[in-house]
Amino acid sequence: MLVVMKAHATEEEVRAVCQKIESMGYRAHALPGAERTAIGITGNKGVVEPGSLDEMSGVQELIRVSKPYKLVSRDIKPDNTVIRFKGTDATIGGKGLAIMAGPCSIESHEQAFAVAERVSQAGAQFFRGGAYKPRTSPYSFQGLGEEGLRIMADVRDRFGLRIITEAIDNESMDLVEKYADIIQIGARNMQNYSLLKRAGKAKIPVMVKRGMSATLEEFLMAAEYVMSEGNYQVLLCERGIRTFADHTRNTLDLSVVPAVQRLSHLPIVVDPSQGTGKRNKVTPLSRAAIAVGADGLIIEVHHQPDKALSDGAQSIFPDQFDELMTQVQQIGAVVGRTVSGIGAHVSGSNLAAVGSEAHPV
Ligand code: PEP
Ligand code: MN
C-alpha cells in the first residue's frame, strides 16, 4: 500500500500520516519526490487495512502496489533518486555520471596512492578497492582488512575521492561503515538477506551488485531488502551474469540498465571489469554502458596489473583510463550526461599538491 500525499502537503501532515501507519503496527517509509511525497507501508503480513488513512489531511490517494518490490519502484517515486555526498559535487543518479575507479584489491599504501593519483587526475570522483575480498579460492589473497580501509581513508584525505568498498559480513560491515562513503554488496552476497538487512541499517549509501544468476526481479528485491530497513540511499550495479558464452568471464547484460530504469527510481552503474574479465573489452563495454544510459561506471585500474594480487587481467592501465574518460565525456554528451570530475582538479582542489600534470581532456 502506498499513501500519495498532495503536492502541497506539509511536513506535519506527512509526519502525522507516518505516525498513524506506525500506530497500526506497520512501518512507514516517506519518500519525498520532485512533485509530491509518497509514503510506503511495509511490515504487513497480509493486505494492509487502510483504516481512516485516506481521510487524513494532506492525503491525495491510497494505491495498492501489486509488485513484490515496493520502495524501489517508480510507483512510489516517479523521479530518479539522486545520491549526494556532503562537501563534494559528486552525485550518483543525477546529470553527472558517477565514475568510480581503482584497483580490485587494496594491496599497499604505495599501490593505492599510485592508482588514486591517476584516476583522480583523469576525473574520477570515487575510488574503488577491496579490503575484504570474496575469492573463489580460500588460498587467494583475501584483502588487507582494516588496514586496507585505513589506506582508503588516507586516499580520501589526500585526493578528495569518495570511497567505495565491499563488506562481506556483519563484522566487516561495521568497519566499512566507519571508514567508507559507500558500502558495496558483492555479487556473491546479493541474496545474503541478513547482510542486506544490516546494510539497510547503515547510515551511508549502499551499492548492490547483481548476483551472477539473478533475474531482474531478484536484483530489485535485493535493493528492496536494504530499503525496507530504512536506508533509501541505494544504487544498483550490473556486473555480468553467468551464461554459456566463454569468450568473456561473464556476460555483461547491458539491457538490464533500461529495464531497471523503467521499473525503479534507483541509479544503476555498470562494472565492465568483472563484466568481461578482459582488459581489452573494458573500454568498448564502458562506452556501450554510457550509451545505454547507465548512471556511471565502476572500473578496475592498476598501475602494474601484471603484479596485481587480484584481477590483474581485467585491470586497465592508467593511460587507458585517461583515454576512456575522454570518450565517456564525449558519449555522455550525446545522451545528456556530464562528467563533473573532469576539470575539477585543475580548479584548485587539493590535487594541486600532488605536483603532477593533469591529463588533458
Ligand atoms: C569486485 O568488485 O572486485 C568484485 C569482487 O565484484 P563482484 O562482487 O561483482 O564479483
Ligand atoms: Mn575484482
Side-chain angles (χ1 to χ4, degrees):
M1 176 79 74
L2 194 61
V3 182
V4 179
M5 301 300 289
K6 289 185 178 145
H8 300 294
T10 65
E11 269 177 41
E12 263 122 75
E13 286 169 333
V14 172
R15 207 173 312 124
V17 173
C18 289
Q19 275 166 2
K20 174 80 180 163
I21 293 167
E22 307 260 336
S23 76
M24 293 158 77
Y26 306 128
R27 184 155 185 181
H29 305 265
L31 293 194
E35 305 270 298
R36 41 75 164 170
T37 291
I39 305 167
I41 304 177
T42 63
N44 48 307
K45 302 270 181 297
V47 176
V48 173
E49 202 35 71
S52 54
L53 279 175
D54 57 348
E55 274 140 44
M56 290 186 74
S57 152
V59 172
Q60 168 101 23
E61 60 176 333
L62 304 191
I63 299 174
R64 280 199 193 283
V65 184
S66 53
K67 300 188 186 91
Y69 44 86
K70 313 207 181 277
L71 304 175
V72 309
S73 167
R74 281 210 189 267
D75 292 345
I76 188 163
K77 190 170 179 289
D79 44 309
N80 295 340
T81 284
V82 181
I83 300 174
R84 296 175 200 283
F85 298 85
K86 260 197 214 119
T88 131
D89 64 353
T91 57
I92 306 175
K95 189 175 160 68
L97 291 166
I99 309 296
M100 314 174 188
C104 176
S105 303
I106 301 298
E107 300 165 7
S108 66
H109 195 276
E110 182 260 324
Q111 172 245 20
F113 270 57
V115 179
E117 179 177 1
R118 292 296 305 270
V119 299
S120 88
Q121 283 175 358
Q125 291 180 302
F126 300 86
F127 185 66
R128 66 143 289 148
Y132 299 90
K133 297 303 300 179
R135 303 304 300 279
T136 305
S137 165
Y139 310 117
S140 301
F141 178 58
Q142 305 284 311
L144 294 181
E146 188 170 3
E147 173 59 15
L149 296 177
R150 273 196 285 266
I151 293 171
M152 293 191 95
D154 288 348
V155 163
R156 176 178 45 223
D157 290 347
R158 180 79 160 91
F159 300 101
L161 295 163
R162 300 297 106 184
I163 302 306
I164 173 163
T165 191
E166 178 168 355
I168 53 172
D169 49 28
N170 287 355
E171 204 184 338
S172 55
M173 178 88 65
D174 291 342
L175 289 166
V176 166
E177 193 181 359
K178 182 169 143 199
Y179 289 96
D181 300 293
I182 306 173
I183 299 165
Q184 173 174 328
I185 301 288
R188 292 157 191 80
N189 274 317
M190 192 209 81
Q191 286 180 315
N192 181 339
Y193 300 119
S194 61
L195 193 66
L196 294 171
K197 283 189 191 175
R198 168 65 187 83
K201 294 194 170 72
K203 300 281 179 284
I204 60 173
V206 176
M207 182 176 84
V208 178
K209 298 191 85 174
R210 183 181 181 186
M212 291 177 207
S213 62
T215 63
L216 171 59
E217 188 168 302
E218 287 164 343
F219 191 19
L220 293 175
M221 290 308 285
E224 184 80 16
Y225 257 94
V226 179
M227 293 188 78
S228 71
E229 294 293 327
N231 188 347
Y232 309 128
Q233 302 192 87
V234 179
L235 65 142
L236 297 160
C237 176
E238 162 59 29
R239 47 79 70 206
I241 51 170
R242 208 39 93 73
T243 69
F244 54 83
D246 58 4
H247 61 287
T248 49
R249 178 180 174 184
N250 292 293
T251 297
L252 193 64
D253 177 17
L254 291 179
S255 72
V256 87
V257 172
V260 161
Q261 288 169 337
R262 190 181 160 92
L263 298 173
S264 175
H265 54 87
L266 295 178
I268 177 164
V269 302
V270 169
D271 175 348
S273 308
Q274 327 302 318
T276 64
K278 303 230 161 105
R279 182 177 308 138
N280 63 20
K281 297 190 174 49
V282 171
T283 294
L285 271 297
S286 299
R287 292 193 298 245
I290 298 305
V292 87
D295 294 299
L297 297 168
I298 177 161
I299 300 195
E300 289 181 349
V301 181
H302 202 293
H303 67 312
Q304 293 172 324
D306 298 346
K307 296 194 181 144
L309 296 182
S310 63
D311 286 350
Q314 67 192 33
S315 301
I316 61 172
F317 288 93
D319 283 348
Q320 292 178 299
F321 184 69
D322 288 343
E323 201 181 330
L324 172 60
M325 286 301 278
T326 307
Q327 298 181 0
V328 163
Q329 193 178 31
Q330 290 166 343
I331 295 169
V334 176
V335 290
R337 311 297 287 259
T338 57
V339 186
S340 48
I342 288 185
H345 54 284
V346 181
S347 57
S349 76
N350 55 358
L351 278 169
V354 175
S356 55
E357 283 283 282
H359 183 77
V361 285

